[in-house]
Amino acid sequence: MTTHYDQSTQAGSPAAWGPPPTAAPPSHRAGEPKQPFVHRLWRGRPEDPRWARPAFLGLLAATLVVYLYDLSASGYANSFYSAAVQAGSTSWKAFFFGSLDAGNAITVDKPSAFLWPMELSVRIFGLNSWAILTPEVLMGVGTVAVVYAAVRRRFSPVAGLVAGAVLALTPVAALMFRFNNPDAMLALLMALACYFVVRAMEDGRTKWLVWAGAAIGFAFLAKTLQAFLILPPLAIVYAVCAPVTLKKRLAQLALATVALVVFGGWWVAIVELWPASSRPYIGGSQNNSFLELTFGYNGLGRISGDETGSVGGGGGAGGSGRWGATGWDRMFSSEIGSQISWLLPAALILLVAGLWATRKMRRTSVTRASFLVWGGSLLITMVVFSYMAGIFHQYYTVALAPYLAAVIGMGAGLLWERRTEIWASITLAASAVAAAAWGYVLLNRTSSYLPWLKWLVLIGGLAAALGLVFAGRVSRQLALGAAAVGLVAALAGPTAYTLSTVDSAHTGSIPTAGPAGASMMGFGGGRMGGGKAGGMRGGFGGGMPGRQGQGQNGNGFPGAGAGGFPGGGMPGRNGSAQGRQNGNGLPGGGRMGEGGMGGGMGAGGLLNGANVSSAAKQLLEKNASRYTWVAASIGSQNAASYQLATGDPVMAIGGFNGTDPSPTLAQFKKYVADGKIHYFIAGGGMGGGMGGSSNGIASQISSWVQKNFKKVTVGSATFYDLTQKKSG
């Protein structure tokens, strides 16, 4: 195994642990016949072992198969974004702006770029779960490939394979690369940005740094300011360590900044300059401004917790709020730990070891820069996530997965090559112990889930650590055996959780990875493990989606219907009525107060959509072509459910939370007078009851509709016919 490390601190001295990458033989020599593409694809680089490329392709194939497994079980996954995909697949205007509906009433609360691959897929293959979610899977496979390429290029194929496997088997990665939130695209582009910066570090070529700026800029169009979290370490590392003059480094960083602004700003400029009267309202903002959305609800408000229009922030540093306690240990907590932290202690050990091992290398050391780029991205993202007081969901931590995986691969690869040095072998052993001990702790939190596995992880990891201590003093075969045992023990826990994740349906706004009950997070002071079978406890009444009918009878939330929001079950897997029985909290699937008016605060209106019966669907589809919107509903999730069921535009009053001031009562009255909306759907959303919005527009519209229009009941769902005034 040939490893490419940098030269020592003395310029021109021989490489410490092998030739630098520039010494690698070219893939094609002059005068030699060029090999067929298939041969080159299978063989890979001539300097690599023959098994390296087949192993890499096997890793990608295995990742693809695992992530595609039973993909349709989650249906439309997050119906909020699936409705936007449906709209964008039928309207190019909705495609560009990210509108929730083809009538272009309001956008989703993010930029639209992350929707584009899904919308193009649906345009080609039609609206279905596979067409929506397969692009996300491909982004996951692409991210694994990028991390492998980055680690293999500077270290070794084995190190790259370890990094790729760690990423593929991280539970939250398996969750989000099979889900339709913005995070899949964000993770891919952030990994590409790190890869491009390290490439630029090799020879100081400007194009790689410009590509890094472009990747971060486009990532901004996926999830706004979160894309900028890793800018400080990337910029500082290049400014200090790049192998060109300081003047050129600063000029290159300026060009990369221009690329970032161009790739991230073109869409923003068009949206801000477009007349507001002819584009959809910017969802999530209070002033119909994307810039306000960026720096408020989706930006600095997430840090401070001051998010106008949201459902409430966290508890501040060290505090406990709606989204869990903040503090240095947040990533290891019972709410977050099982999603991402399995190998986080080992990664931190290996990061410190990597920086120590490269401390005497020259300023331009690409090996050290690799640790600084990937490790710096890991640390800054982890710190921000740990202390942000605003809205925080467990699945956000997928952003850490590529960085963590790269650090594991790089650190393990470097220390393995230096295992004859006692400090390196002891550090390898320490990382194995850390992975095994923390894996035991995480598995013990769900003691009824594979109770034997935690002992296998602990004993296997400790045995491997003992062997790794002597890795430099025993035969290579024995050392490899100890390393293999340690790797299996370290990955056993996250692999089990990953397999449990892909074998479960995930729907709604707050999905979590792993078995039921593995990850709990508060909302309104309660605790829950949302978006999969069972395991939800606390403030809401009713059951979450149940696989094979789990969560029936409103028991997904203990105390259903008492002391919380009006109780109700959410849709079960495969669209069945399981998981909804005897819990009538969702509009379209039961009651929400009396008729659900006034913008009721049902859990389903915020976290998931409604159960749309065939009778309700038939009602809305009748004469649908006559109207711009077949219906209007408070809150995006509720509107999304009806839109996906009918295929026709449904207006979401108040956006995601029901707190956006769109449309105004006057605008809504004009839409009705112009005959653009057929029905008003009772219930749904937060309706201005929470989130700092005091204008009560959703409640005003609800009251006006209830007072003036004819009520239509279809099963347990309530509608108001906006073409039929109340008599008398």
Side-chain angles (χ1 to χ4, degrees), residues 235-525:
I236 292 171
V237 170
Y238 193 83
V240 173
C241 303
V244 292
T245 64
L246 177 60
K247 182 179 179 181
K248 186 172 183 179
R249 279 176 258 160
L250 296 178
Q252 290 173 322
L253 287 169
L255 287 174
T257 302
V258 171
L260 184 155
V261 172
V262 170
F263 275 80
W266 67 272
W267 183 88
V268 178
I270 293 174
V271 171
E272 287 295 298
L273 294 174
W274 197 292
S277 60
S278 64
R279 63 158 169 80
Y281 185 92
I282 303 301
S285 73
Q286 296 299 299
N287 298 310
N288 198 12
S289 167
F290 179 77
L291 292 178
E292 185 232 322
L293 171 68
T294 298
F295 293 101
Y297 177 72
N298 272 345
L300 301 180
R302 297 290 173 112
I303 305 297
S304 66
D306 182 15
E307 301 167 281
T308 301
S310 83
V311 294
S320 180
R322 298 185 186 281
W323 309 107
T326 57
W328 67 269
D329 60 342
R330 191 181 202 180
M331 297 300 100
F332 303 94
S333 67
S334 60
E335 293 87 1
I336 310 295
S338 65
Q339 307 295 295
I340 188 65
S341 74
W342 297 87
L343 299 183
L344 189 51
L348 296 176
I349 292 172
L350 292 173
L351 175 59
V352 172
L355 294 174
W356 173 262
T358 58
R359 70 192 186 283
K360 294 183 179 180
M361 290 183 179
R362 60 195 306 172
R363 175 184 64 83
T364 57
S365 164
V366 185
T367 301
R368 181 174 56 223
S370 297
F371 280 103
L372 291 172
V373 165
W374 292 98
S377 298
L378 173 66
L379 291 176
I380 195 168
T381 306
M382 186 171 68
V383 168
V384 171
F385 283 177
S386 295
Y387 288 96
M388 59 186 288
I391 294 175
F392 182 82
H393 301 314
Q394 296 97 316
Y395 65 79
Y396 290 179
T397 57
V398 69
L400 298 170
Y403 316 139
L404 185 151
V407 169
I408 290 286
M410 294 186 303
L414 187 151
L415 293 183
W416 174 259
E417 290 298 313
R418 301 191 66 172
R419 64 189 180 279
T420 56
E421 301 176 40
I422 186 64
W423 77 268
S425 61
I426 290 177
T427 305
L428 269 178
S431 64
V433 170
W438 187 241
Y440 175 90
V441 171
L442 290 176
L443 289 168
N444 196 48
R445 288 177 178 174
T446 50
S447 56
S448 61
Y449 174 75
L450 301 179
W452 51 269
L453 184 59
K454 61 185 177 184
W455 297 109
L456 180 66
V457 167
L458 183 62
I459 295 171
L462 294 178
L466 182 61
L468 288 172
V469 169
F470 302 101
R473 292 164 176 75
V474 298
S475 68
R476 181 179 177 83
Q477 289 73 21
L478 287 176
L480 283 173
V485 171
L487 183 62
V488 170
L491 290 178
T495 298
Y497 270 52
T498 291
L499 295 178
S500 176
T501 299
V502 301
D503 194 40
S504 301
H506 295 84
T507 59
S509 301
I510 313 179
T512 56
S519 185
M520 306 286 189
M521 177 169 283
F523 182 94

